[in-house]
Amino acid sequence: MRVALFISGGGSNMLSLVKSMAQDHPARPCLVLSNRAEAGGLAKAEALGIATEVVDHRPYGADRAGFEAALQDVLLRHAPDMICLCGFMRVLTEGFTREWEGRMLNIHPSLLPKYKGLHTHQRALDAGDSEAGCTVHEVTAKLDDGPVLGQARVPVLAGDTAETLAARVLVAEHRLYPAVLRRFVSGDRRPVLLA
C-alpha cells in the first residue's frame, strides 16, 4: 500500500512512520507533502529518498477548494492508496475528506473526544487532568472527530508545563502511530491501546 504523508513542520511523526515502514510492513511511503516550503521534514524525507512536494496554502487565501484541488493534482501524480496526516496544520473540507474517506488518518495530541483543536496540553493542565495522551483517528469532515483507531495515555506529572507534557506525549505518538498504521493497512480497524 502506498502512503502519502502530509506535514507542516519538522516531521517527527512522519519519520516514525517512515522508519516503521522500512521493516517488514505492508505499506511504503510514496510522498511527503507540505503546505510550507520551509518545513524541516521535507529535507529529512529527501535524505531518505522519498519524493517531496509543496503546495503552499497562502496564495489561495480563503479559497480552500482551490488549495485542495492543488493537493489532489499532486496526489494524482503520486497515486497513494492512503494519506497519513503528520502535523499537517490545515483543516481539510468535506469535499477533500469525502474523496479520501476511510483512507486518511490523523494523529492528535489529546485523548479524543477531549480537547479537539489546538493548545491541547495547556487545556489538559488547566482542567487538572491526571492523564493526557494522543489519538489516531480516521479523518472526517468534522475536526478531530473520526473513528478512533488508537490511543496512548501519558500521566500528567506535578510541575508539568505544556512543553514538558507535549514532549512526553510526542514520545507516545511515535509509538502509537506506527502501531495503528500497521494494523490499519492490514485491514484491522480495532483500536490500539497503549499505556
Side-chain angles (χ1 to χ4, degrees), residues 111-112 131-134 151-155 169 172 175-176 193-195:
L111 295 172
L112 292 174
E131 64 179 4
C134 53
Q151 290 190 319
R153 297 176 181 275
V154 172
V169 170
R175 290 175 45 233
L176 179 66
L193 301 175
L194 302 179

Side-chain angles (χ1 to χ4, degrees), residues 14 16 37 41 50 57 60 62 66 68 71 80 89 101 106 109 112 126 131 136 144 147 152 163-164 178:
M14 173 271 294
S16 72
I50 303 167
H57 65 280
Y60 295 92
E68 291 174 354
L71 292 177
M89 301 303 289
E101 187 172 351
N106 182 48
L112 292 174
D126 291 346
E131 64 179 4
V136 176
D144 300 327
E163 292 75 23
T164 60

